[in-house]
């Protein structure tokens, strides 16, 4: 042991330095392998609080965006459904006009009205992903049943009748941002839809009565204008939802880049640092080996 006393202090410092370099080299290898500065929040202690906050924002924004995408899909289907209903109703309006002018038969009027009722029932019972669009929150219940005994028959002068409706009055809402919500749902008992349904039902029940056909015509004519406005409103809400989705995606991209900058490593920088550490380690190992071979006898 005597021959090591003179080199003990230097040897200890070299060994300590070797361990430090080995630890740094292992950490660098782990970073290159994973692409991250650390495999735990502990290794990011100075940024942990902000990272957790940003990750929470990211998760909330992701959920919000997914919900908005579902709402947009439903709004688009609603828009298309109302468009088809408009086409059917416009065609029926022309048939009623022919009935008023006496150029179509009572039987034809009744047949068209019956077919129209079937078409409307099918449209209002539209589903998407197993959910009925026009039932309010009763999404597993078909909203329209024109055979319901509490519904009709409509006779002139008519009154509003939503006995066909099987859903509830809940209006679906989507949160597009903090404090920014949009109602996007429609229900089949909406007064505009009821008015159009009533026009069909009047003709279905009393196709040969001129006053009834004229009332149905007037109901349908004003209902068509309102239905077109309703469809335009659905389109506007869909555009707002789409804009919010795109804004959210931009925010998510920004958050993603920010989090990556805080958590991920610059591989080129780490690779260069590893090469430098390796060079230092090789030099330190060589010096350590030389120092450990020294003994006092060599200098006496």
């Amino acid at each position: 042991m005597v021959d090591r006393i003179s080199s003990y202090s230097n040897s200890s410092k070299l060994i300590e330095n070797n361990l430090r370099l080995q630890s740094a080299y292992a950490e660098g290898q782990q970073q290159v392998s994973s692409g991250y500065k650390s495999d735990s929040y502990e290794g990011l202690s100075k940024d942990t609080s902000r990272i957790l906050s940003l990750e929470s924002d990211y998760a909330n924004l992701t959920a919000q965006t997914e919900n908005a995408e579902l709402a947009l899909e439903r709004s688009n289907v609603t828009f298309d459904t109302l468009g088809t209903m408009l086409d059917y109703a416009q065609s029926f309006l022309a048939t009623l006009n022919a009935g008023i002018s006496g150029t179509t038969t009572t039987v034809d009027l009744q047949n068209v009205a019956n077919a129209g009722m079937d078409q409307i029932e099918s449209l209002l019972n539209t589903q998407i992903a197993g959910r009925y669009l026009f039932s309010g929150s009763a999404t597993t219940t078909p909203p329209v049943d024109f055979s319901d005994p509490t519904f009709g028959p409509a006779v002139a002068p008519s009154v509003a009748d939503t006995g066909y409706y099987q859903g509830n009055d809940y209006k679906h809402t989507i949160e597009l941002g903090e404090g920014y919500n949009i109602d996007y749902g429609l229900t089949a008992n909406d007064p505009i839809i009821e008015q159009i349904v009533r026009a069909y039902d009047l003709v279905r029940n009393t196709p040969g009565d001129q006053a009834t056909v004229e009332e149905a015509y007037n109901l349908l004519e004003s209902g068509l204008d309102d239905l077109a406005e309703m469809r335009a409103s659905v389109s506007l809400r869909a555009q707002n939802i789409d804009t919010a989705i795109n804004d959210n995606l931009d925010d998510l991209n920004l958050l993603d880049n920010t989090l990556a900058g805080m958590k991920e490593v610059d591989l080129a920088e780490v690779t260069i640092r590893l090469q430098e550490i390796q060079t230092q380690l090789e030099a330190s190992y060589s010096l350590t080996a030389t120092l450990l071979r020294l003994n006092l006898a060599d200098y006496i």
Side-chain angles (χ1 to χ4, degrees), residues 51-67 252 255 259:
I51 288 175
L52 289 173
S53 177
L54 291 176
E55 286 180 338
S56 176
D57 291 343
Y58 191 93
N60 291 335
L61 200 56
T62 298
Q64 188 180 93
T65 303
E66 290 173 351
N67 290 335
L252 284 170
L255 282 173
L259 284 167

Side-chain angles (χ1 to χ4, degrees), residues 29-244:
Q29 286 183 313
Q30 188 276 330
Q31 289 176 343
V32 170
S33 175
S34 68
Y36 291 98
K37 295 177 181 177
S38 175
D39 58 0
S40 68
Y41 286 118
E42 184 180 355
L44 303 168
S45 55
K46 68 175 183 178
D47 293 323
T48 297
S49 178
R50 185 160 182 247
I51 288 175
L52 289 173
S53 177
L54 291 176
E55 286 180 338
S56 176
D57 291 343
Y58 191 93
N60 291 335
L61 200 56
T62 298
Q64 188 180 93
T65 303
E66 290 173 351
N67 290 335
E69 287 171 343
L70 288 174
L72 179 61
E73 184 180 10
R74 293 167 190 160
S75 295
N76 288 335
V77 174
T78 299
F79 179 81
D80 292 340
T81 300
L82 295 180
T84 303
M85 190 182 301
L86 268 171
D87 292 340
Y88 289 155
Q90 286 168 344
S91 177
F92 186 48
L93 188 69
T95 301
L96 292 179
N97 188 49
I100 293 171
S101 63
T103 58
T104 189
T105 66
T106 298
V107 173
D108 287 340
L109 278 175
Q110 189 171 46
N111 287 339
V112 172
N114 281 325
M117 292 283 282
D118 291 340
Q119 291 168 339
I120 288 180
E121 183 170 356
S122 177
L123 285 171
L124 293 176
N125 286 337
T126 293
Q127 287 178 284
I128 180 169
R131 296 164 57 97
Y132 288 98
L133 285 181
F134 297 95
S135 286
S137 64
T139 55
T140 60
T141 302
V144 172
D145 180 7
F146 289 139
S147 66
D148 190 310
T150 65
F151 172 62
V155 293
S158 64
V159 294
D161 180 4
T162 58
Y164 61 84
Y165 186 58
Q166 313 299 308
N168 57 41
D169 293 330
Y170 177 82
K171 298 293 177 65
H172 290 282
T173 301
I174 181 68
E175 182 183 14
L176 299 179
E178 188 172 350
Y180 177 35
N181 299 320
I182 285 184
D183 293 334
Y184 70 91
L186 293 176
T187 55
N189 65 340
D190 187 281
I192 296 171
I193 293 175
E194 184 280 328
Q195 183 174 326
I196 291 174
V197 168
R198 187 160 24 117
Y200 279 92
D201 197 38
L202 279 167
V203 179
R204 178 176 69 166
N205 296 315
T206 321
D209 181 69
Q210 189 75 1
T212 297
V213 175
E214 289 178 357
E215 180 181 343
Y217 181 90
N218 292 331
L219 282 172
L220 194 61
E221 187 176 40
S222 63
L224 277 169
D225 290 338
D226 292 338
L227 189 62
E229 290 183 12
M230 175 188 283
R231 187 169 183 251
S233 178
V234 170
S235 176
L236 179 60
R237 289 196 291 268
Q239 291 174 27
N240 289 337
I241 293 172
D242 188 50
T243 298

Side-chain angles (χ1 to χ4, degrees), residues 226-279:
D226 292 338
L227 189 62
E229 290 183 12
M230 175 188 283
R231 187 169 183 251
S233 178
V234 170
S235 176
L236 179 60
R237 289 196 291 268
Q239 291 174 27
N240 289 337
I241 293 172
D242 188 50
T243 298
I245 289 172
N246 290 328
D247 290 343
N248 283 358
L249 291 175
D250 288 341
D251 290 343
L252 284 170
N253 185 56
L254 179 60
L255 282 173
D256 202 30
N257 290 335
T258 302
L259 284 167
M262 298 176 71
K263 296 167 65 176
E264 297 177 8
V265 295
D266 184 330
L267 291 178
E269 179 185 336
V270 175
T271 301
I272 292 173
R273 178 156 50 86
L274 277 175
Q275 292 173 348
E276 292 174 348
I277 293 173
Q278 184 175 0
T279 301

